[in-house]
Amino acid sequence: MKIAIIGSGHVGLVTGAGFADMGNEVICLDHDTQKIKLLTRGKIPFYEPGLSELVQKNSEKGRLHFTTYMKEAVQFSQVLFLCVGTPPKDDGEADLSAIENVARSIGRNLTEYRLIVEKSTVPVETGAQLYKMIARSTRKKITFDVASNAEFLKEGSAVHDFYNPDRIVLGVETPRAKQLLLKIYKPFKVPILVTDVRSAEMIKHASNSFLAMKISYINLISQMCEKVGADIGKVAEGMGGDRRIGKAFLNAGIGFGGSCFPKDLAAFIKIGEKLNVPCNLLKEIAEINKFQKIHFVSKVEKALKKLKGKTLGVLGLAFKPDTDDIRNAPAVDILEQLRDRGAKIKAYDPCATAAAKNILKGIRFARNPYEACLGADAALILTEWREFRDLNLKKLKRSLKRAIIVDGRNIYDPQTMKENGFHYYSIGR
Ligand code: UDX
């Protein structure tokens, strides 16, 4: 199958390279000429394990191409996947201007039947609007279809997730669209749910909001555990043992971040409000998430008695491990609060330092965990990178001025830390 990917960001690039690897011919488009130049040279503009190899392999085999021209993408492909960004506006509503721009551009370049598939997370009913926008932009009457095929891949394991989805959701309105998408997804031996476009759009927002709810729920319970001396790890294990609840996404911490959950939740609330459906439950998910970061800052303050003038060695900036992404990273918010309250910060992240330097002002950066903690009054753990789990605790203790660790990700066993002579504070334990 000949496929075009419109928007070569995280989702677009993984999807494009993945489809190419399955034997399709793929062209990835982006309006950013620098990015396309980089990709043409086999270089990836962000960190995602395994992606660079996948792009290089499929480019060399001649199955993966890059362009900045919509005309080329539309002519080349039978199916176009829209993977452009849908960032939040100030009020949380999804900004669909990129989708609208590509819709018009596709419409202007349509000369024969094409299937246009939304992969970006969009509010329910965007498919219907997309159809109208494309139809208005075509020069003459041309048949085309709009479908929805939400992407559920996670940053840091995106390549693995592409090949191993739990399920595939196809929202279609015509047999032709259904047949084309089923052909593309034939090699995947996983359940495929075929539904209408509106339901498919709803599935994506409802799924991400539900996962965010699980995280806020466990974070709320972690607050209670702290008050009564219960252990959130055990509580989550006990809850997750019930198959109706499930073990995943019950790790208490400093809250969820990234480019998806905060934005999708805000957009889902806006959708509910527009539809006159009370969304207090969804709003509370965001509130708990905000509180979790404030709570962590108080925890650091309590451990150190006061923040002003104290030096903090910070381990982790990315919103989660195995990514250099710091968009909506809890670490950024927390470090800004600590800095504004007079703490001196030296931070280390295995991948995200370059990105953090652009937005985090007034803090210093280190080249390794021990350097970040050298002479510090406390070490803070803000991202659960493997590297931090494997630290040499004796060396860490020698680097620190005071043996205090405030762990926002519960990566250590409290008893082990005690035995190693640390004052160790974590979440919900
Ligand atoms: C998410 C969805 O999982 C994915 O299906 C969707 O398509 C895109 O958004 P991603 O943002 O890459 O993926 O990260 P994810 O692994 O879901 O984690 C999101 C945030 O939740 C991170 O900040 C993570 O630290 C936090 N989290 C996750 C917790 O705090 N506790 C958990 O138990 C799980």
Side-chain angles (χ1 to χ4, degrees), residues 278-296:
C279 285
N280 297 339
L281 172 64
L282 299 180
K283 287 179 189 162
E284 201 50 41
I285 299 171
E287 280 308 309
I288 294 170
N289 202 47
K290 200 166 140 196
F291 179 74
Q292 206 62 13
K293 290 175 268 189
I294 297 172
H295 181 64
F296 184 80

Side-chain angles (χ1 to χ4, degrees), residues 354-429:
K357 274 182 183 167
N358 291 328
I359 60 156
L360 264 175
K361 301 298 167 202
I363 77 165
R364 288 179 302 152
F365 295 92
R367 283 163 303 178
N368 63 60
Y370 306 103
E371 189 189 306
C373 293
L374 195 64
D377 291 288
L380 313 186
I381 295 161
L382 301 185
T383 315
E384 67 277 37
W385 285 94
R386 172 92 248 160
E387 184 181 338
F388 302 153
R389 293 183 196 272
D390 297 339
L391 285 181
N392 178 332
L393 292 176
K394 288 201 170 59
K395 193 171 169 192
L396 181 67
K397 194 160 167 240
R398 277 201 304 276
S399 302
L400 285 162
K401 189 161 85 190
R402 295 163 70 190
I404 298 176
I405 297 184
V406 191
D407 179 359
R409 301 292 188 171
N410 289 359
I411 64 172
Y412 296 122
D413 167 40
Q415 189 55 34
T416 312
M417 298 314 277
K418 202 173 163 189
E419 283 161 17
N420 278 278
F422 284 99
H423 296 280
Y424 176 70
Y425 305 86
S426 54
I427 306 288
R429 308 192 288 186

Side-chain angles (χ1 to χ4, degrees), residues 258-269:
S259 66
C260 292
F261 282 176
K263 146 182 107 71
D264 291 351
L265 182 64
F268 207 34
I269 293 170

